[in-house]
Each structure stands twice: as structure tokens, then as C-alpha cells.
Amino acid sequence: MAQAIAFYTLSALILGFAVLVITARSSVHSVLFLVVDFLFVAALYVLLGAQFVAIIQVIVYAGGIVVLYLFVVMLVNLKRPPEAHRDKRRLARLGAALAVVVLVEIVAIAFYGYVGPSPVEAAPGALATGNVEQVGMMLYTDYLVPFEVASMLLLVAMVGAIVLTRRNL
Amino acid sequence: MFDTDELVINMGPQHPATHGVLRVVLKLDGEKVVDADVVIGYLHRGIEKLSENRDWTQIVLLTDRMDYVAAATNNLGYCETVEKLMSLEVPRRARYIRTILAELQRLASHLVWLGSHAMDIGAVTVFLYGLRERELVLDLFEEYCGARLTYNAMRIGGLPLDIPSGWDKKVLAYCDIQDEKIAEYETLLTQNRIWLERTRKVGVIPGPEAVSIGLSGPPLRASGVRRDVRKDEPYAAYEEFDFDIPLGTNGDTYDRYLVRVEEFRQSTRIIRQAIEGLPEGPIVGKVPRLIKPPAGETYHANESPKGEIGYFIASDGRSTSPYRLRVRPPSFCNLQALRRLVKGHLVADVIALIGTIDIVLGEVDR
Amino acid sequence: MIDLLVIPLIKIVFVLTGVLITVMYLVLLERKVQAWVQSRLGPMRVGPHGVLQPVADVLKLFVKEDITPVRVDVWVYTAAPIIVLVPALIAFAVIPFGGEVHLFGKTISLRIADINVGLLYITAVASIGVYGIILAGWSSNSKYPLLAGLRSSAQLISYEVAVTLTLVSVILTAGTLSMVGIVEAQAASRVWFAFVQPLALVIYVIAGLAETNRSPFDLPEAEQELVGGFHTEYSGMRFALFFLAEYTNMIIVSAVATTLFFGGWLRPFPNVAWLWWLDYVPSWIWFTVKTFLVLYLFLWIRATLPRYRYDQLMRIGWKVLIPLALANIVVTGIVKVLL
């Protein structure tokens, strides 16, 4: 019962702030609403019993990645090119098409993709050790290749950023 | 790939770290300084013009206010220039006492320099320690002539006052304290890794370039050029004393720091020799009642703590004021180097470089 | 019901009041310690030896005019100091101030919450605090605070990495992420982790100084910098909140250092028999004394050392501390496997 209340409240807040992200006038406000959104998602993870993932969500996503978004938004003057204002209907059609695609994907996931046990039954040992061990084991045994690929991706991104910003190489 | 603009930032004239009312307009490319435009004149009081309407003796008061951190040196320079013009003989005792006062001034000035330079770089404690010792010097001066900052301590032909009894013992006691304390300051700074990183290789001026810019004093000596007015053109009683001239090798901020720290020790050495050998005798030479130097012009230089301070006096032989008094202030000439020094450095170094040149705006602007 | 709601509430009230008063007096202590190092006395007028100075400061800040510059983004401008202060305060939720005490027939543990990812919680909360600084700089609508704020926060996130890596080596040694668990691991092994992980302690203290923008890493807020830092446009109570947050962060860093490296609330020398009487000193007193010793170290360092330039600061963080911390983790891991 309490879980259900918590879940619905959190979901409402997450969706509400997500709407604010896309409707905010200033890009900085947009990013700030995104941060608050991520914090609520972390709360959702705690509700699911995955405290470690929740904290990592806060440290990495809300506390690292979005900070970089904020840096970029603040430093780069984002001005919409004048052409964008001319054809509002083109943009609206593009937006509608994307929305339909995403809606179809969500419906497909909801009907065909949902497998697996319900969250309450997952990993009974999770709460005791804080599921750091579980995550660690899975990351290094079952999901080793994706892990290494992700780190390669990060390395490429770092090198790319350095190459782009150095003036004399 | 990306276009970047140059940023123009204005430092001063009111700024906690420019040692007075100095304005520096910096052109930055990111963090690096591309150009610096030094704007002075905020403290101009017209001392040179004023002196054309003052008696020769009254001008000593005006000279106090130029380098107000080392006022006795200014007084000395002026008096000696007039004495040179009038070919006056200053008695030996007066010359010894003048040397003692000048060296005490050097210590006081270097203490302020050390304190403010260290404070700009972040070591605030050294400032308080330096001022603590400077209080002792100011007490000595107060006992001698009654003032702590603007002394009016020299007269044309000698001194206004003889030293009070017991003053020489106090000076010796102060020299002992100072030698101890300079070792203390050195433990805080000289081998400190952060200090080294902030001052080594910052603001390097090679010797020949230092000469061509017109530097003098410790900045010149730190670049390896051996020039000290006390040795090259001795004045007061300097030829009778035994002292060394510290020289640097790289001409960076660290060398300028080391040179001035060593000058502390040499100054106490000179003062001790002077006190021990202090002769008896009059303190004023044969000076006519009305001072009227013959027509002519002359230039005379002293080694002030900041560099070579020179006085050019032109007298027309008839009036009771100089026809023209021109001061060659060391801070003004050394400040010219700032533009050359800051190029290529980061913004945070600009503060360190202003401190290392050791300027007093009173002297720069007069 | 009482255990779940009332006791934690009482603890929270205690901790928050205690922290805020400590922060006020920490400001006074800093002024006094700096003064004594510089052979002067510090605040002496308000109250005997200046003891009531913090009260005077707080009163002054309360009655100061609240100036909001004209073209700032008002919501963000107002929220920024709060965003800096709140994470600093809520980090106290997992800090163990002591062992267990018996009061009114109940066993009360001297901590607000013992969550099993306690150490990571503190890291997470610290990374949220960075937002306040960025937003303070940006919302001031002036290019100098913006740049200063970005530099300050870049410094913070760089050193966050170093701090987290040293925490990892301590986690490896203790085997648990919970703060209480780490202290209990030190109790079990009868040796403080300061002796087991000395390199981690050194890196943590240096990175902690940089995390809290303290000397010698305080260039972004030094007066000698060209701009006054990210809090240039703030005055009165809002500025006070930034100040409070900085000192609260200092206390957090010291408290975490105490818990991780100096045995938390444990008494020193547990192996020495003739010091049995030390057992009678309450655990929270040990914790407080140790935290204050670490804080005193921070104050001492500020009074003594010059400050690093920004590029030297970043170089130390990335090129010296992070590789050392990584090497420390590897060595710790190897030792753990071999033993």
C-alpha cells in the first residue's frame, strides 16, 4: 500500500518535471528540471530495492553528466537559426512523426517485452549487502563485453573532445 | 576551428593587490595575457613642480612623500645632490648615521615588500610577521626624529639631530632580532614547493634585456647584472664598509625574492659595522645660513631599496628654489618592465609580477 | 512508531542545531587560529575573548538589506545558495557520531541513519552541491562570476574523482560501504585505517582541501583574483549561506576522514592495557575531538601555505592525485587477495 502510494507520487512528479523540461523557456531551467527528474528516478530505484544503482544514478548522471550539459548550455550561446521560425508546420509534422514512433515502441515493449520476475521478488540477498556485490559480479562475468565496449566508447569520447579543442596539435 | 575573442579586463585602480592606485588593462586570450597596458598617474601630486616654489630646505619635506615606504632614502638622495651642487663637505659622523638610517630604511622597505608579495601569492602569515619587525624599525625612527612614516630626517650638509643615547644599542638589538627573523621567513617560503611553483620561471628577464629596459636595483641584480650604486658610485659612508652584492642567475621572480632576502642580511651587516665604527664629531657641515647653490646642474644617484633613485637639480644661482628638480624614480622605470613581463603568463601571475617589481605608487606618480 | 518517527526527528534536531552552532564557532575558531599564528589576537571585543562574535555576525547578517541585482534570474539566484547548503547539511544523516547509548530504557544509536551505501551517499550529495556554485555564477548575469563559478566547479568535480578513488581503497580494506560498518571493521582489526592506508589518507586530505575550496586551493575565491569569485553578486544572508555551506563542507570532510581513517568514535590505543580508563570517555567525545583535530589541520594549512595557481591546481588533481589513488587501489586489491 505504502509502496503503491510512493510509486504513483514519484511517477507523477517524474512525468510532471519531464513536461517542464521540454516546456521551459530558458535552457538552463530546462537542465535544472532534468536534474530534479533524475533525483526522483533515483528515488524510484530505491523503491525497487536497488540502492546502489540509485546512488550511482545520482553521482554519475545527475552529478556528472548533467553538470556537463549545464556547462555547455551556459557557455555556448544557443541561438535558433532564423530559418527555423519560418516553417512551423514542418516542425510540427516532424515532432508528431517522432512522437508516433516512440509511442509505438512503448506499446510494443509493454505488450511483448515485459518478462522477468516482479521487482519485489528479485535478489533476496540484495538488501543485506546493498547489491554492490551483485552488480559487480554481473558486470564482470555476464556483461563483461558490453562493459569493455562502454569503456572504449568513453575513451573515444575523451580523445575526440581533446582533439576538437586543442588549437595546435 | 572555433573563433575566440580576446577578453579585456581592467585591474584597478582600486584593487587589493596592486599596491596602491595602479591600473592595468589586460588583454587576455583565454587565461593567457596577451598584452597589458599600465595606466599610472592616479597619485600625481606635482612634487617636481611644487619644489620649484619651495626653499631648498623645504623640499626635503616633499621628497618624504614620494617613496613613502622608504622616506629617509629619498631625503638622503636630495640632500646629497644639493651638497654635490654646492660642493659641501659632510662630516664623517653624519655620513655614518646617514648610512645607518638608509640601511634601516632598506630593511623596512623590504619587509613591506616581502609581506605584501607573499600575501598576494597566498601566504598571509608572512605579511603579519614582516610588519611586526617593521614596527621595531619604525620605533627606532620615532625615537630618532619623532615620525613613523615621513621623517624629514636629513638636512643639506648633515642631519638635524644627533642620535639619542642608547639608540645605537637598540639598533644592534634590532639587527640581532632581524637576522633571526629572516631565517624564520625563509623557512616558510624559500623551500616551500608551492612558493617555488608560483615564482620559478615566472617573469624571466635576461640580463641584457633588463639593462635595455632600464631596470635597476634588485630586479636588475636578479638578472645577473652586477650594478649597485653603493659600490659603483659610493655615497654617504658606503666605501668604508664591507658588504656583498647578491646576484641572481635566471632573472625570474624567485631570484628577485632571493636577492632581496639576501639584502636583508647585508643590510644588518652594514649597520653593525657602522654602529661599531661610529666616529665622534659634528653632525652638520659648514653650511651657509641661506642655501643658494651656484648656477649649474647636477645629477646624483642613490641606491634605494627599489632601485636607483636619481635627482637632477638645475639651479640658476639666484633664487631660493631650484630652477628644475627632476627625480628618476626606480619604481617608475622598473614598472615599464611589467608590460614585457606579463606577456604569455596567466592572470594569476600578474599579481605576483606586480609584487616582484616592488613599486610604490607615490614614487611612480610623484 | 516512536522508534521510527520521534527518535530520528529528535536526532535530526540535535544534529542540525549542533552543526549550525559548530559552523558559527568554526568561523570564530578560524579567525582566532589564524590570528595566533600571525602573532596577533583576533576578535576580542564581543564577549570575553570574542566568544560572542558569531552571535554578532549572525545578527548583522539577518538585518542586512537583501539586494537582488536587477537582471538576474530571480528563481535561480535565490535557489543557488540553498542548493549549496542543503546537500552539505543532509550529508550529516549518515555520519556516525558515536556508538550506542542507553537512555530512558532504549538503546539509541548515535547516528541518524545507517544506510548500507552510506559512503556513496555522501559522495552523491557532494556532487549535487556543485550545482549551487555553477548556478550562483550563472545567475549573477555577469561574465566574471560565471567564469569564476565554472572554474570553481571544474575544480570541485576534478577533485571529487580523487576523493572517490581514495574512498574506494578504504571500502576495499573495510569490505563494506556503510559508515558504521567501516568503524566496526576498524574496531575488529584493532588498528585504525590511517595506518593501513596512509597514502589514501594523504590523498584524501589534499583532495578534501580542494573539494572545500580551502587554501592552498582557494584561488577561485581569493581576493587577489581579478573577480570576487562566484559569490560576487551576493550579499547579506545569501552570502552567509555560501559561507555556511563552505564551513559545513569542511566539517563533513573532517568527519568522514575521522570515520574512515581515525576510527570514528573508537578510543585510541585499544590494545594498551593500562589505558583502560579511556573506556569511560563517551564515544561521541572521541569523535568530536578527532574531527576537531582534522579541522585544526585545515585551519593551520590555510595560515601557512601560499596558494596554487589554477592550472597548477588542476594539474595536481589530474596528473598526481588520481594516478596515485588508482595505484593505491591496485596495491590494496593485490594485498587483499594475497592475504
Side-chain angles (χ1 to χ4, degrees):
Chain A
M1 184 56 204
Q3 269 207 339
I5 297 179
F7 174 73
Y8 284 115
T9 324
L10 277 175
S11 317
L13 283 166
I14 291 176
L15 288 173
F17 274 103
V19 168
L20 282 175
V21 168
I22 52 181
T23 57
R25 283 182 164 272
S26 144
S27 348
V28 172
H29 289 174
S30 203
V31 173
L32 289 180
F33 288 136
L34 192 65
V35 176
V36 179
D37 223 23
F38 286 154
L39 293 178
F40 283 128
V41 171
L44 204 58
Y45 286 149
V46 173
L47 199 60
L48 286 172
Q51 305 97 351
F52 181 63
V53 180
I55 295 280
I56 294 294
Q57 160 92 354
V58 174
I59 297 180
V60 172
Y61 223 142
I65 296 180
V66 183
V67 170
L68 293 179
Y69 281 15
L70 206 52
F71 271 40
V72 171
V73 162
M74 282 177 183
L75 285 176
V76 174
N77 267 331
L78 292 170
K79 289 211 170 64
R80 289 157 90 208
E83 304 85 59
H85 289 279
R86 282 201 211 127
D87 195 358
K88 283 202 179 136
R89 291 189 36 217
R90 182 162 158 269
L91 270 181
R93 272 185 238 139
L94 202 59
L98 276 175
V100 163
V101 168
V102 174
L103 188 61
V104 165
E105 281 181 17
I106 293 179
V107 167
I109 292 174
F111 278 137
Y112 301 116
Y114 182 70
V115 287
S118 68
V120 186
E121 302 167 11
L127 282 169
T129 58
N131 60 50
V132 179
E133 232 182 285
Q134 264 91 9
V135 172
M137 285 299 283
M138 285 181 55
L139 205 56
Y140 281 95
T141 50
D142 297 336
Y143 293 96
L144 182 60
V145 175
F147 177 67
E148 294 295 334
V149 168
S151 58
M152 291 302 306
L153 192 63
L154 284 173
L155 185 63
V156 168
M158 275 205 306
V159 173
I162 295 177
V163 166
L164 279 175
T165 53
R166 266 187 78 102
R167 232 159 297 173
N168 43 346
L169 203 54
Chain B
M1 180 186 251
F2 297 107
D3 262 335
T4 51
D5 282 330
E6 277 178 357
L7 189 66
V8 175
I9 282 192
N10 178 49
M11 253 181 83
Q14 291 137 330
H15 192 276
T18 51
H19 303 260
V21 278
L22 175 69
R23 179 173 174 214
V24 184
V25 182
L26 294 168
K27 256 204 216 138
L28 303 177
D29 177 17
E31 278 267 342
K32 277 197 166 20
V33 176
V34 167
D35 199 8
D37 188 16
V38 182
V39 181
I40 58 174
Y42 290 92
L43 199 51
H44 180 70
R45 293 151 292 174
I47 288 186
E48 291 177 3
K49 176 64 183 169
L50 281 174
S51 55
E52 289 174 15
N53 293 317
R54 301 275 183 284
D55 274 349
W56 293 90
T57 321
Q58 288 175 320
I59 297 177
V60 184
L61 285 159
L62 288 176
T63 57
D64 266 334
R65 280 134 179 95
M66 290 193 312
D67 180 358
Y68 38 77
V69 173
T73 321
N74 302 358
N75 297 344
L76 181 60
Y78 169 74
C79 290
E80 288 195 338
T81 315
V82 178
E83 284 153 15
K84 190 170 168 186
L85 196 55
M86 289 171 72
S87 311
L88 278 179
E89 169 88 30
V90 180
R92 205 153 158 260
R93 181 177 173 85
R95 282 190 284 128
Y96 267 62
I97 300 181
R98 279 179 167 185
T99 315
I100 297 173
L101 291 175
E103 289 304 310
L104 280 175
Q105 275 296 232
R106 190 177 313 274
L107 288 167
S109 170
H110 281 351
L111 282 166
V112 171
W113 162 80
L114 183 60
S116 47
H117 186 46
M119 185 167 75
D120 288 339
I121 297 191
V124 285
T125 309
V126 182
F127 183 64
L128 271 302
Y129 289 170
L131 287 191
R132 179 188 58 188
E133 264 66 72
R134 186 173 145 91
E135 279 301 304
L136 301 172
V137 179
L138 296 185
D139 285 345
L140 288 171
F141 268 99
E142 196 183 2
E143 223 188 294
Y144 171 69
C145 61
R148 279 165 55 96
L149 193 68
T150 48
Y151 306 125
N152 197 16
M154 316 270 175
R155 293 287 179 273
I156 297 172
L159 298 159
L161 301 156
D162 205 343
I163 59 177
S165 63
W167 193 78
D168 46 351
K169 306 252 175 349
K170 293 193 182 140
V171 172
L172 283 177
Y174 163 71
C175 288
D176 293 332
I177 296 179
Q178 182 60 63
D179 282 334
E180 231 180 85
K181 295 301 181 187
I182 191 67
E184 194 179 285
Y185 309 153
E186 284 217 271
T187 58
L188 273 178
L189 294 176
T190 308
Q191 297 296 331
N192 184 314
R193 146 179 272 139
I194 303 181
W195 183 259
L196 289 170
E197 287 212 32
R198 284 301 294 269
T199 55
R200 276 251 191 87
K201 303 222 178 35
V202 172
V204 180
I205 290 203
E209 197 171 344
V211 173
S212 76
I213 292 181
L215 289 180
S216 59
L220 183 64
R221 293 198 278 278
S223 299
V225 178
R226 191 189 176 73
R227 158 89 183 159
D228 187 331
V229 183
R230 295 176 290 173
K231 287 274 197 203
D232 299 335
E233 294 153 24
Y235 55 96
Y238 281 106
E239 26 188 16
E240 305 188 32
F241 301 128
D242 188 26
F243 59 101
D244 298 321
I245 307 291
L247 280 182
T249 39
N250 302 320
D252 58 10
T253 306
Y254 188 60
D255 275 357
R256 288 188 277 270
Y257 159 78
L258 287 176
V259 163
R260 287 193 180 100
V261 163
E262 185 58 33
E263 284 193 359
F264 271 94
R265 298 201 177 89
Q266 296 303 319
S267 286
T268 51
R269 191 173 160 193
I270 296 177
I271 296 180
R272 284 204 180 90
Q273 290 172 53
I275 298 263
E276 265 142 46
L278 192 61
E280 298 297 328
I283 50 165
V284 188
K286 273 189 153 32
V287 184
R289 182 174 284 275
L290 190 60
I291 297 187
K292 238 198 221 180
E297 48 190 50
T298 183
Y299 174 84
H300 178 70
N302 271 18
E303 180 79 18
S304 98
K306 316 255 174 328
E308 175 180 327
I309 183 168
Y311 284 83
F312 170 82
I313 297 190
S315 155
D316 62 0
R318 284 175 282 118
S319 58
T320 51
S321 355
Y323 181 72
R324 170 85 172 108
L325 168 73
R326 156 92 176 120
V327 182
R328 181 226 186 260
S331 302
F332 181 79
C333 300
N334 291 354
L335 192 55
Q336 292 177 87
L338 184 65
R339 187 171 195 177
R340 149 82 182 68
L341 280 176
V342 299
K343 284 208 173 94
H345 282 102
L346 301 181
V347 163
D349 288 328
V350 173
I351 314 274
L353 289 170
I354 296 180
T356 187
I357 302 179
D358 191 13
I359 53 171
V360 171
L361 266 303
E363 205 171 46
V364 171
D365 291 334
R366 278 158 283 133
Chain C
M1 182 58 200
I2 282 193
D3 282 331
L4 212 50
L5 210 54
V6 174
I7 294 188
L9 269 178
I10 298 181
K11 286 188 200 171
I12 291 175
V13 167
F14 253 100
V15 167
L16 279 182
T17 331
V19 165
L20 289 172
I21 294 185
T22 311
V23 166
M24 276 176 20
Y25 277 90
L26 186 60
V27 177
L28 176 68
L29 187 67
E30 160 151 61
R31 289 172 69 174
K32 281 296 208 181
V33 166
Q34 261 210 319
W36 292 334
V37 170
Q38 294 165 357
S39 39
R40 53 188 179 92
L41 289 173
M44 293 285 286
R45 286 181 173 270
V46 192
H49 280 275
V51 159
L52 291 179
Q53 181 74 39
V55 176
D57 284 338
V58 167
L59 279 177
K60 177 202 84 160
L61 286 167
F62 267 123
V63 301
K64 257 200 155 171
E65 179 188 351
D66 184 19
I67 303 177
T68 308
V70 174
R71 278 196 308 258
V72 301
D73 185 334
V74 182
W75 283 102
V76 179
Y77 183 81
T78 316
I82 304 177
I83 299 181
V84 179
L85 181 59
V86 168
L89 287 177
I90 61 178
F92 276 99
V94 293
I95 299 220
F97 295 101
E100 316 217 319
V101 287
H102 303 275
L103 278 179
F104 310 116
K106 289 192 188 299
T107 304
I108 304 180
S109 56
L110 287 178
R111 58 203 79 116
I112 299 181
D114 174 24
I115 61 182
N116 46 9
V117 285
L119 207 50
L120 282 192
Y121 169 80
I122 294 189
T123 322
V125 142
S127 48
I128 298 292
V130 173
Y131 278 102
I133 297 183
I134 307 178
L135 293 173
W138 176 79
S139 69
S140 301
N141 200 27
S142 160
K143 76 183 142 165
Y144 305 139
L146 173 63
L147 292 174
L150 289 175
R151 272 165 52 148
S152 201
S153 47
Q155 175 188 333
L156 253 64
I157 40 187
S158 315
Y159 279 86
E160 230 169 67
V161 180
V163 167
T164 316
L165 287 176
T166 60
L167 297 183
V168 167
S169 11
V170 173
I171 296 170
L172 277 179
T173 320
T176 168
L177 277 170
S178 138
M179 302 281 276
V180 176
I182 293 180
V183 176
E184 284 169 359
Q186 289 179 78
S189 64
R190 321 267 306 163
V191 101
W192 290 351
F193 287 163
F195 305 107
V196 178
Q197 294 271 355
L199 182 60
L201 173 60
V202 169
I203 299 177
Y204 180 77
V205 168
I206 299 177
L209 280 173
E211 271 287 294
T212 49
N213 265 329
R214 298 281 302 176
S215 216
F217 303 111
D218 62 349
L219 195 68
E221 34 175 68
E223 289 122 21
Q224 284 83 13
E225 247 309 84
L226 284 188
V227 295
F230 57 90
H231 48 64
T232 313
E233 301 284 342
Y234 283 86
S235 60
M237 203 62 207
R238 299 182 207 262
F239 175 72
L241 288 180
F242 279 118
F243 220 49
L244 268 180
E246 178 175 322
Y247 283 92
T248 314
N249 272 324
M250 258 173 71
I251 301 183
I252 297 264
V253 168
S254 310
V256 170
T258 309
T259 311
L260 259 52
F261 295 103
F262 295 120
W265 69 81
L266 303 171
R267 56 160 267 216
F269 305 119
N271 304 315
V272 177
W274 58 270
L275 285 174
W276 55 269
W277 45 272
L278 283 178
D279 269 335
Y280 288 98
V281 179
S283 51
W284 53 271
I285 292 208
W286 286 123
F287 181 83
T288 319
V289 166
K290 291 178 203 175
T291 309
F292 266 97
L293 284 176
V294 181
L295 278 171
Y296 178 70
L297 178 71
F298 282 19
L299 301 183
W300 194 6
I301 290 181
R302 178 176 183 186
T304 315
L305 295 178
R307 66 174 63 93
Y308 269 113
R309 215 168 52 204
Y310 188 69
D311 60 319
Q312 296 165 339
L313 203 157
M314 295 300 266
R315 178 183 53 88
I316 292 179
W318 287 100
K319 291 197 193 168
V320 175
L321 292 185
I322 292 184
L324 276 179
L326 282 171
N328 193 27
I329 296 178
V330 170
V331 168
T332 309
I334 295 178
V335 168
K336 268 256 148 178
V337 165
L338 291 180
L339 286 184

